[in-house]
Amino acid sequence: MAELELADWRRQVTELYARVRAARESDPRAAHDDWRETRDRLFRGHTETPLEDQTGFAGLAYQAYDPSFAWHADVDTDVERDRFPVATSGGGQMDFVRFGRVDLPLGSLDVFWLDAYGGGIFLPFRDATAGRTTYGGGRYLLDTVKGADLGRHADGGLILDFNFAYHPSCHYSPHWSCPLAPPGNQLDTAVTVGELRYTPPDHD
């Protein structure tokens, strides 16, 4: 059943991020290698892969790990808790609540809470690589309802390691509808780490 297969996909992603959180502080490159290898395995062999066609899939493309793109970020919660109808790739909208903002050397980003059953932290971004070496709609860093959770540091706040930035499912197939980075999550700088744009293999 599709529901059980999707639950299994999310279970494996959740287990992956638990390993990443456990290993990242002491050996971030090993954590990043595990993240890449596990994602490739899931995309290649799982029934709930976002890929339309797994034939010839040789792996996703990533930039090498760069520790200068990782921060422990305090969340400024002194913001208007605005309800945002975030646009999706399918032309619809999805409701989020902005509950905070993080200030990084890259720029500032809104932090959202999914306004639905269970909820979850959502942090998308679109940077100067979008439409060039990465998906034009942006990438995700955190989506905790789906298991993508890098954790928090001892003083509170969030661990934001952009080496773990990844593309939403709609990047791989138009059959998926995904929330896109809103205006408050667009950076002028280039985030030159994380997942790169996917090009399907040529079967001709």
Side-chain angles (χ1 to χ4, degrees), residues 63-87:
Q63 296 280 17
Y65 190 90
D66 182 346
S68 68
F69 281 87
W71 294 277
H72 290 178
D74 293 326
V75 181
D76 178 10
T77 57
D78 187 20
V79 298
E80 292 288 339
R81 292 181 64 90
D82 299 327
R83 183 181 300 276
F84 273 78
V86 175

Side-chain angles (χ1 to χ4, degrees), residues 9 12-13 16-17 35-62 166-173 176 195-196 198:
W9 172 281
Q12 293 195 50
V13 170
L16 166 61
Y17 275 87
W35 181 73
R36 291 174 55 167
E37 291 164 5
T38 301
R39 294 187 75 233
D40 281 353
R41 175 176 57 78
L42 288 170
F43 273 66
R44 181 181 297 111
H46 201 284
T47 56
E48 289 301 307
T49 178
L51 299 176
E52 287 192 295
D53 184 1
Q54 294 162 297
T55 305
F57 175 71
L60 301 172
Y62 304 88
Y166 67 97
H167 288 121
S169 298
C170 52
H171 171 55
Y172 311 103
S173 170
W176 299 86
E195 186 184 351
L196 295 168
Y198 176 68

Side-chain angles (χ1 to χ4, degrees), residues 55-56 198-204:
T55 305
Y198 176 68
T199 302
D202 187 355
H203 300 311
D204 294 336

Side-chain angles (χ1 to χ4, degrees), residues 49-127:
T49 178
L51 299 176
E52 287 192 295
D53 184 1
Q54 294 162 297
T55 305
F57 175 71
L60 301 172
Y62 304 88
Q63 296 280 17
Y65 190 90
D66 182 346
S68 68
F69 281 87
W71 294 277
H72 290 178
D74 293 326
V75 181
D76 178 10
T77 57
D78 187 20
V79 298
E80 292 288 339
R81 292 181 64 90
D82 299 327
R83 183 181 300 276
F84 273 78
V86 175
T88 70
S89 60
Q93 295 181 330
M94 188 175 294
D95 284 341
F96 289 87
V97 173
R98 184 183 68 164
F99 74 90
R101 191 159 177 84
V102 291
D103 292 318
L104 303 170
L106 296 168
S108 297
L109 295 169
D110 288 330
V111 186
F112 296 96
W113 186 261
L114 175 61
D115 191 24
Y117 176 77
I121 296 172
F122 181 55
L123 180 53
F125 69 95
R126 185 180 188 276
D127 68 288

